[in-house]
């Protein structure tokens, strides 16, 4: 099972605060790979569709990946967005993409499973080019709000997952060969973890 909590909408709007033009669109290099944006376990495509609508003339392939049952259930999605049936515990089929993206995935899984998922992305990333964006909660190290604490308990009890602080994110990503270059903090504890391959 790829995404435990796939949904049509995540409620997040990371692309409104993240410099998409500079960090994604302008960095695309077709001589490295033909994929601009790969939305891994992206449900019915809300995130990638929202991005494509905001940048309709962006070059490269925009790709949505999820389990066959999810992909087969999609009723509406921009025809320019490719749909690939994929389980993220299997090798990633898209090599050398500019950006790999996952929304609300990591908090559903314990560290061991997260590292398996991440390793499949790391193996196809290009050093100095590909970036991984993880749209997920970034909790404070201390004085965690009660609502955020409640979500953490919920992830633990439902999926053996967890919400992570900056320190926890670093401890998760670094062992698989990733280096965090920025944490983007948004409202209600939501955030974006931006990572690249280690030098």
């Amino acid at each position: 099972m790829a995404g435990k909590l796939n949904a049509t909408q995540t409620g997040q709007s990371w692309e409104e605060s993240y410099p998409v033009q500079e960090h994604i669109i302008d960095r695309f290099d077709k001589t490295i790979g033909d994929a601009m944006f790969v939305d891994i376990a992206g449900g019915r495509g809300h995130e990638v569709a929202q991005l494509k609508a905001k940048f309709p003339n962006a070059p490269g392939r925009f790709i949505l990946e999820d389990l066959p049952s999810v992909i087969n259930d999609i009723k509406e999605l921009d025809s320019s967005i490719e749909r690939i049936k994929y389980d993220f515990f299997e090798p990633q089929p898209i090599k050398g993409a500019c950006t790999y993206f996952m929304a609300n995935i990591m908090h559903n899984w314990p560290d061991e499973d997260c590292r398996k998922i991440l390793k499949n992305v790391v193996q196809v990333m290009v050093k100095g080019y590909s970036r991984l964006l993880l749209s997920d909660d970034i909790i404070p190290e201390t004085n965690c709000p009660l609502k955020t604490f409640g979500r953490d308990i919920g992830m633990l009890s439902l999926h053996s997952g967890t919400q992570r602080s900056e320190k926890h994110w670093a401890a998760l990503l670094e062992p698989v060969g990733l280096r965090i270059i920025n944490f983007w903090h948004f409202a209600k504890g939501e955030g974006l973890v931006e990572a690249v391959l280690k030098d």
Side-chain angles (χ1 to χ4, degrees):
M1 182 176 184
K4 290 184 180 178
L5 291 180
N6 281 318
T8 302
Q9 297 189 8
T10 65
Q12 295 177 234
S13 53
W14 60 273
E15 77 285 348
E16 293 178 7
S17 301
Y18 179 78
V20 173
Q21 185 70 50
E22 178 185 356
H23 285 212
I24 298 180
I25 309 299
D26 293 345
R27 292 182 58 259
F28 177 69
D29 185 344
K30 65 181 180 181
T31 66
I32 296 176
D34 60 4
M36 169 71 81
F37 188 86
V38 181
D39 188 358
I40 302 169
R44 292 170 180 81
H46 171 72
E47 298 281 0
V48 65
Q50 193 165 271
L51 188 66
K52 183 66 174 175
K54 196 166 185 178
F55 297 90
N57 298 317
R61 298 161 65 196
F62 282 70
I63 300 165
L64 170 67
E65 297 179 335
D66 213 308
L67 295 174
S69 60
V70 179
I71 295 296
N72 290 339
D73 193 48
I74 295 173
K75 301 297 189 295
E76 294 182 14
L77 186 65
D78 187 323
S79 60
S80 69
I81 298 171
E82 296 178 44
R83 309 173 193 188
I84 294 180
K85 297 172 182 179
Y86 171 65
D87 181 331
F88 54 38
F89 285 112
E90 301 297 326
Q92 171 58 240
I94 306 300
K95 296 177 170 59
C98 181
T99 303
Y100 295 92
F101 175 85
M102 283 185 269
N104 298 316
I105 301 299
M106 295 289 103
H107 68 186
N108 293 338
W109 301 91
D111 286 358
E112 182 180 356
D113 285 330
C114 285
R115 290 196 179 105
K116 291 177 183 176
I117 297 166
L118 292 167
K119 284 178 181 177
N120 284 325
V121 182
V122 166
Q123 289 171 0
V124 296
M125 292 174 70
V126 174
K127 190 175 293 186
Y129 176 64
S130 301
R131 294 192 185 187
L132 172 64
L133 298 180
L134 301 172
S135 179
D136 217 314
D137 282 1
I138 304 173
I139 65 173
E141 298 288 347
T142 59
N143 300 317
C144 183
L146 184 59
K147 185 175 181 179
T148 301
F149 178 71
R151 286 202 300 269
D152 189 29
I153 296 298
M155 290 300 102
L156 176 62
S157 60
L158 288 171
H159 310 298
S160 298
T162 185
Q163 307 286 47
R164 295 176 174 88
S165 66
E166 290 188 5
K167 197 176 295 184
H168 291 137
W169 280 112
L172 179 67
L173 270 60
E174 288 177 3
V176 299
L178 291 164
R179 175 173 61 88
I180 296 171
I181 58 175
N182 212 342
F183 289 102
W184 301 82
H185 292 268
F186 309 136
K188 301 177 183 177
E190 295 171 356
L192 196 67
V193 182
E194 184 176 16
V196 296
L197 293 179
K198 286 182 179 179
D199 297 329

